[in-house]
Amino acid sequence: MTEAASRKASVSRTTNETSISVSVDIDGTGQGNISTGIGFFDHMLDQFCRHSLIDMDISVKGDLHIDDHHTVEDTGIALGQAISRALGDRRGITRYAALDLVMDETMTRAGIDVSGRPFLVWNVTFPAAKIGTFDTELVREFFQAFAQNAGITLHVLNHYGANNHHIAETCFKAVARALRTATEIDPRQANRIPSTKGILV
Ligand SMILES: [Mn+2]
C-alpha cells in the first residue's frame, strides 16, 4: 500500500436469539472490550484479541436462558463478518501462517490461509464435555462460524493435552497468532493481491 488504508469494520447483527455489535481494527494493538455474558467465552475472546493484536469490541446479548450455543455461534458469525469487511480486497496481506502453540502440557497447531474460501478442519478432542458450565463442543462451533464468515481456510490440530481449559485456550491463542501473521501487510507485496488469480474473495 502506498498509503496505509484503514482496516476497520463494524457489524451489528440481531436475530430472535442474539443481538451483537462487533467492531474490529486489524492493525490494532490487541485492545479489547468484550462482553458476551459467558465468563469463559469472554476469557477466550480476550486471548483471541490480545494475541492477534486485532482490536475487538464485542457486545452480545444472547438467549443464555436456553444455553450458550446461539451466543457463541453468532459471535463467531459477526466477528468473522467484521474481519472479512475490515480486510477488504485482502490486498497486501501475508495470507498464510501456521504455528504450534504450547501451554503447560498442551500443544495445539493452527494453520490459516486468508483465502476467501471458507473451510474448517477441526482435529481437537476434549477429554471432558464441560469447562465449568461451558460446553467444550462450542469451541468448534465458534471456529466453524468464524472461518465461514471471515472467508478463511482454518485448520486446528491439538497434538496433545490433558486440561480442557488449556486445550481450549491454546486453540484460541494459536489461531490468534496465525491470524495476526496472515493478516499483516507483507511489505514485499504490499500493493498486490497475494494470488496468481488476482483475487482473494
Ligand atoms: Mn486461561
Side-chain angles (χ1 to χ4, degrees):
M1 276 179 231
T2 48
E3 196 176 311
S6 162
R7 297 197 296 170
K8 301 178 185 175
S10 296
V11 167
S12 291
R13 184 178 187 276
T14 298
T15 71
N16 291 334
E17 296 170 344
T18 60
S19 179
I20 302 181
S21 298
V22 172
S23 295
V24 299
D25 181 354
I26 303 279
D27 302 298
T29 56
Q31 300 294 309
N33 209 326
I34 292 162
S35 173
T36 67
I38 304 169
F40 181 76
F41 190 38
D42 286 354
H43 177 44
M44 293 299 103
L45 292 174
D46 278 337
Q47 304 294 344
F48 200 49
C49 171
R50 175 67 64 87
H51 294 287
S52 65
L53 299 183
I54 297 172
D55 292 347
M56 298 180 185
D57 288 338
I58 301 173
S59 176
V60 187
K61 289 201 188 328
D63 54 1
L64 299 178
H65 60 285
I66 296 177
D67 69 2
D68 296 347
H69 192 283
H70 301 142
T71 295
V72 171
E73 182 175 26
D74 291 3
T75 299
I77 291 171
L79 184 60
Q81 287 175 347
I83 295 286
S84 184
R85 284 187 200 172
L87 287 169
D89 66 4
R90 309 184 178 209
R91 183 176 303 273
I93 60 170
T94 302
R95 181 173 170 184
Y96 297 103
L99 85 163
D100 291 310
L101 190 136
V102 296
M103 182 175 183
D104 298 349
E105 86 298 341
T106 301
M107 179 185 275
T108 298
R109 181 165 191 79
I112 282 188
D113 176 7
V114 183
S115 56
R117 294 195 304 280
F119 207 99
L120 176 71
V121 174
W122 185 254
N123 197 339
V124 179
T125 304
F126 288 94
K130 295 266 192 189
I131 300 166
T133 60
F134 188 82
D135 294 324
T136 50
E137 67 179 11
L138 294 181
V139 179
R140 184 189 191 284
E141 295 305 302
F142 170 80
F143 283 112
Q144 171 66 34
F146 178 76
Q148 195 70 29
N149 288 275
I152 63 174
T153 301
L154 174 63
H155 293 220
V156 185
L157 166 64
N158 176 244
H159 296 297
Y160 43 78
N163 179 278
N164 289 274
H165 187 122
H166 292 162
I167 294 170
E169 191 159 337
T170 54
C171 292
F172 280 89
K173 285 178 168 173
V175 175
R177 283 299 298 226
L179 191 63
R180 169 186 166 181
T181 302
T183 57
E184 270 172 352
I185 299 299
D186 176 354
R188 293 178 64 193
Q189 56 173 356
N191 201 29
R192 193 167 68 180
I193 306 282
S195 167
T196 54
K197 282 191 289 201
I199 186 167
L200 269 187
V201 287

